[in-house]
Amino acid sequence: MEEESTKFMFHFDRHFPINDVGEIGQRLAASDALIPGWIPPAVGPFDIRAVAVDQQLHGWSTTILPDRNIVSRMARVAREGIVSKRDHPMNIAILLMAFAQAVDFEIEPGLAFHELAQRETNRAAQEELCWFRTADKGGMAQSWIDLAVGRCSGIALGDAAPVENIDLSTPIRRWCRNYVAALKIAELELLPIRPLEKLMALLNWMTHEFFLASPALFFAARYWAPSLRRAGLVKHIRAPNRDRALAGARNAAWDITYLSEFVRRIAIGLSNEQRVILATGDRLLAEVAPILLLGPEAQEGRPSVEEVMRVWWSDSSASRFCAAFFDAVQFAERNDVDDHTIAERVSNLTIKGEESLRMWLPKRQS
């Protein structure tokens, strides 16, 4: 049977900078900083033709979930006007804002400002949010495009938007749960056992004492991968100052929360025709995110979970873990989690986990 092919013809306004937007889309695709939450067409998710088909033919909208690395630089461009240093996150921030404004993608920065409020103050988060609103205001697509393609080194966006009277410092439930998982990862990291034993212990703990938190589990799987670079995933766990260790666990919890929010929004988006893209300036986080979209079997050009795990771990370790993981998935599907029970469990496990991390002492050098 011959495959059917469909041809589309789209008309763009003659003033639309299609060549510039096409170049920006290619650079974003090559950056590996953006993870689409769906299986994109062969031309890629940032090809202007793919965007036009999604929006005009299928009626899909697209939301970008950026991390702090990206959001803070978008706000900085608006505040300072001049871009003096273009590191990896800054390049992504500029390209992404230009592309989003050109093709009408929405940027949802909420998590990033909750993170900033926790790290610093609610006031600091509110002030940076004002500058982000200025960066994200409509009608400035061409200015961002000119900045993105190098026609200029600065951009004039005006004053900061009015302050929004919202409390961004209140802990969010998703982060609180991921903090418990991060504390457990830190506790296991400090045990004198092999990496695979740590990973299997984490899976067993989630199955029987917590709940199956796949983003945290695969974050840990990448962290403990024996032969891969892991610097930066969980910081200061062995610091003599145990407050720094707790700060490292909190930081890891935010990374995991971006992953879990990405997965949550993908599930919600299926029912309201909304695409989701995770944007991160953290190269290791960008490695973890795609595995959360995979299943036990390869499909539609995507590998299976085990195939990716075999890149991170040995074949035997990957097989052992994946068999246990998918058994745990079936167990979780048969056993619903009571939100009231979880809330109490999270509170108790947080106290226990923090105490465990505080009590650890580095071995003295002989």
Side-chain angles (χ1 to χ4, degrees):
M1 180 183 294
E2 294 185 2
E3 292 186 3
E4 294 185 4
S5 62
T6 306
K7 294 183 178 179
F8 302 98
M9 182 175 293
F10 295 100
H11 173 73
F12 292 92
D13 185 283
R14 64 188 181 90
H15 298 296
F16 184 79
I18 190 167
N19 292 331
D20 286 345
V21 176
E23 177 192 336
I24 292 169
Q26 290 176 356
R27 290 168 65 183
L28 285 171
S31 71
D32 294 327
L34 275 65
I35 298 89
W38 70 98
I39 299 176
V43 294
F46 309 110
D47 185 285
I48 191 64
R49 295 164 294 178
V51 174
V53 168
D54 270 352
Q55 291 179 338
Q56 299 180 33
L57 184 67
H58 300 307
W60 287 86
S61 62
T62 301
T63 297
I64 299 165
L65 179 66
D67 69 4
R68 281 268 325 124
N69 287 311
I70 303 299
V71 171
S72 64
R73 284 162 176 81
M74 288 175 171
R76 186 190 306 169
V77 172
R79 183 176 63 248
E80 298 178 358
I82 297 295
V83 181
S84 57
K85 180 182 179 182
R86 290 209 179 198
D87 58 8
H88 175 66
M90 179 61 82
N91 274 325
I92 299 305
I94 293 170
L95 290 167
L96 188 57
M97 182 61 81
F99 194 81
Q101 293 215 1
V103 302
D104 198 27
F105 283 3
E106 179 185 356
I107 300 177
E108 174 44 66
L111 270 185
F113 290 109
H114 280 289
E115 179 183 358
L116 178 58
Q118 186 189 86
R119 289 177 181 275
E120 298 184 19
T121 64
N122 189 58
R123 181 63 184 175
Q126 287 178 328
E127 290 177 355
E128 186 166 293
L129 176 58
C130 293
W131 283 112
F132 172 80
R133 296 297 188 210
T134 299
D136 194 37
K137 69 182 179 182
M140 301 301 295
Q142 188 60 59
S143 296
W144 279 102
I145 290 169
D146 290 341
L147 185 62
V149 300
R151 292 196 189 97
C152 59
S153 60
I155 188 171
L157 297 172
D159 297 331
V163 174
E164 300 178 29
N165 187 24
I166 52 177
D167 186 2
L168 295 162
S169 61
T170 302
I172 56 178
R173 184 173 63 176
R174 185 169 295 271
W175 180 86
C176 292
R177 293 182 178 188
N178 289 324
Y179 181 46
V180 171
L183 288 169
K184 189 64 178 182
I185 292 169
E187 177 187 321
L188 290 168
E189 167 62 11
L190 295 171
L191 295 181
I193 57 177
R194 295 176 2 182
L196 182 59
E197 293 173 333
K198 295 176 183 179
L199 185 60
M200 298 302 292
L202 179 64
L203 175 57
N204 183 67
W205 172 80
M206 286 184 176
T207 303
H208 299 291
E209 295 185 51
F210 195 48
F211 66 94
L212 188 59
S214 296
L217 183 64
F218 284 103
F219 178 90
R222 176 59 185 82
Y223 175 55
W224 286 321
S227 60
L228 298 180
R229 183 178 72 89
R230 67 175 188 170
L233 277 175
V234 184
K235 301 174 182 177
H236 312 307
I237 295 303
R238 291 178 170 79
N241 182 337
R242 303 313 293 157
D243 286 337
R244 293 189 72 201
L246 287 170
R250 287 194 294 271
N251 181 71
W254 278 112
D255 287 343
I256 296 167
T257 300
Y258 286 108
L259 296 174
S260 64
E261 182 67 5
F262 179 46
V263 173
R264 187 185 74 86
R265 285 182 174 270
I266 290 171
I268 294 173
L270 293 175
S271 62
N272 60 12
E273 297 182 325
Q274 186 176 71
R275 305 288 201 195
V276 183
I277 297 170
L278 176 66
T280 176
D282 187 324
R283 296 181 189 275
L284 291 178
L285 199 61
E287 283 185 38
V288 179
I291 198 173
L292 301 174
L293 311 178
L294 307 180
E297 305 293 338
Q299 58 177 343
E300 297 187 61
R302 281 183 167 174
S304 66
V305 170
E306 186 168 337
E307 286 176 289
V308 174
M309 285 292 293
R310 286 174 183 267
V311 175
W312 297 356
W313 295 73
S314 68
D315 289 357
S316 60
S317 295
S319 295
R320 179 183 168 191
F321 168 77
C322 288
F325 170 69
F326 287 111
D327 283 346
V329 170
Q330 292 182 354
F331 178 84
E333 290 173 347
R334 295 191 303 267
N335 297 270
D336 293 334
V337 177
D338 186 323
D339 280 345
H340 295 293
T341 302
I342 278 291
E344 182 178 356
R345 201 179 308 172
V346 165
S347 178
N348 293 335
L349 288 173
T350 299
I351 295 170
K352 181 180 177 181
E354 288 184 337
E355 182 180 6
S356 174
L357 203 53
R358 283 187 185 280
M359 293 297 292
W360 183 85
L361 295 174
K363 291 182 179 179
R364 294 182 178 180
Q365 298 294 323
S366 58

